[in-house]
Amino acid sequence: MGKGRAPCCDKEKVKRGPWSPEEDLRLISFIQKHGHQNWRALPKQAGLLRCGKSCRLRWINYLRPDVKRGNFTKDEEDAIIRLHQTLGNKWSKIAAHLPGRTDNEIKNVWNTHLKKRLVSKNENTQQKDESKDSSMATSSSSSCISSSSGKNSGEVLAMPVSDNSQDFKTDQLSNHRSRSSSSSPSEEPEGLSSSSISSNVTNSSQVGVSNPEDQVGSLFNFIGGYYDVNNNTSEEVNKPDILDTALDISFESDLEFWNMLDSFGPFQSDEIESVVNVPGT
DNA sequence: AAATGATACAACCGCCGCATT
DNA sequence: GAATGCGGCGGTTGTATCATT
């Protein structure tokens, strides 16, 4: 430690903040074409003014074709709670058990929904416990709330999703925000999930591009769903919802697609061309 | 209708472990 | 065996959006 490691990137020269549609397209196109052997070198090769880490994160958490979007199902939430009880805050490990879900997403869900739910649940049980036997009520260590239930790992799983008004509110909110096709959290999103996600999805970081051509279709479906292509605008839609608004932009409609890119202001489509060598142009 | 608060989530930061040299 | 580089991970922050007052 204390070796004074060089920073992963020159923060003066890299762009930060939300990703623009153009950047996403560049990254997706590049990875589809060349894979991601070297994250650090990738931004330069792809013509992105981004830190390699940022590219990696963006790809893993958002742009991978096999990322499952939409609300977490009851089963998934239960699994997270259960896994968290055994694994703690090992989000990547937990994510490995939930195909299509990323550690970041799981972490967010835990911190927003599930933790609060467990806290309120725990408060209820604690009050009951205290009346019975105050010595049984032990507080959790550090941030590991799950241990508060301590005695029985499966106990909290029986908790209803809409356990209280707060959950109801947040569930509604998340439905709004995610613009999911299904208003019911129990409905399994099918867009890119089981059928189109390769079954060998392991961890968020381990999804390669073993068969890029097979993924091209879903890739552009994804892009179509993510950005309002028809509006010819680069305005980002709240959240990529590939589940219900996927537009079929295949390579057959390349011209249209790249024309759309042309319409982006500072972004030059021929720049992409030089990077990804788009066929048929 | 505006102001304020609460919530959700994308993105960043810094550390750690593994692989390579 | 030590030094270095890189990817990965978990914690935290910033910001957009929605709900409430």
Side-chain angles (χ1 to χ4, degrees):
Chain A
M1 309 307 164
K3 299 269 186 201
R5 257 181 59 180
C8 69
C9 53
D10 188 349
K11 290 182 171 53
E12 299 293 318
K13 293 178 182 174
V14 298
K15 188 184 169 196
R16 299 169 66 189
W19 281 64
S20 67
E22 301 90 66
E23 290 175 310
D24 282 346
L25 287 168
R26 271 187 189 245
L27 181 59
I28 293 169
S29 300
F30 184 86
I31 291 177
Q32 288 291 328
K33 194 86 179 173
H34 301 98
H36 49 75
Q37 279 77 31
N38 188 341
W39 283 113
R40 186 167 288 211
L42 187 146
K44 196 173 183 179
Q45 295 169 350
L48 286 162
L49 293 174
R50 288 279 181 175
C51 172
K53 276 189 174 187
S54 182
C55 294
R56 176 184 161 272
L57 212 61
R58 182 66 177 170
W59 173 255
I60 287 172
N61 289 329
Y62 220 63
L63 299 177
R64 282 184 329 178
D66 50 359
V67 169
K68 189 196 288 186
R69 311 301 310 186
N71 296 332
F72 277 62
T73 66
K74 177 76 167 59
D75 285 346
E76 285 174 323
E77 289 183 347
D78 287 347
I80 292 169
I81 293 170
R82 189 174 58 248
L83 289 164
H84 187 270
Q85 286 185 323
T86 58
L87 299 172
N89 290 4
K90 301 293 181 186
W91 306 118
S92 61
K93 300 250 190 317
I94 294 173
H97 290 81
L98 295 167
R101 299 299 189 181
T102 69
D103 49 2
N104 204 39
E105 197 177 11
I106 291 171
K107 183 169 60 184
N108 281 332
V109 167
W110 174 264
N111 287 329
T112 54
H113 298 169
L114 304 179
K115 192 159 78 175
K116 289 168 190 169
R117 192 180 300 169
L118 284 181
V119 166
S120 61
K121 171 76 174 181
N122 189 47
E123 281 173 355
N124 288 339
T125 55
Q126 263 195 347
Q127 285 177 353
K128 289 178 183 175
D129 286 347
E130 281 172 4
S131 66
K132 289 179 182 176
D133 183 1
S134 59
S135 66
M136 289 289 290
T138 57
S139 61
S140 60
S141 62
S142 68
S143 64
C144 190
I145 289 166
S146 62
S147 63
S148 58
S149 64
K151 42 195 174 180
N152 189 341
S153 64
E155 186 181 51
V156 291
L157 299 185
M159 199 186 322
V161 172
S162 298
D163 192 41
N164 53 36
S165 58
Q166 176 70 19
D167 286 327
F168 178 69
K169 199 166 67 178
T170 55
D171 282 347
Q172 280 190 317
L173 184 59
S174 65
N175 281 340
H176 270 295
R177 296 171 65 91
S178 67
R179 298 186 189 181
S180 171
S181 60
S182 69
S183 58
S184 164
S186 62
E187 277 184 49
E188 175 76 18
E190 286 297 336
L192 276 183
S193 60
S194 39
S195 59
S196 56
I197 295 175
S198 58
S199 59
N200 58 356
V201 172
T202 54
N203 199 350
S204 58
S205 61
Q206 294 173 346
V207 177
V209 281
S210 55
N211 201 352
E213 289 187 8
D214 287 348
Q215 298 183 0
V216 166
S218 61
L219 161 67
F220 285 94
N221 282 343
F222 169 78
I223 296 171
Y226 190 175
Y227 302 110
D228 193 350
V229 176
N230 286 336
N231 279 348
N232 255 7
T233 167
S234 63
E235 185 182 357
E236 188 173 347
V237 176
N238 269 359
K239 194 175 177 182
D241 191 351
I242 52 181
L243 306 179
D244 62 343
T245 56
L247 301 174
D248 276 333
I249 302 180
S250 64
F251 267 137
E252 286 89 69
S253 52
D254 264 349
L255 261 178
E256 210 174 318
F257 177 71
W258 295 107
N259 284 339
M260 181 266 291
L261 290 186
D262 278 337
S263 70
F264 290 137
F267 181 67
Q268 300 296 320
S269 65
D270 54 349
E271 278 183 72
I272 308 181
E273 230 172 271
S274 65
V275 172
V276 301
N277 286 329
V278 179
T281 53

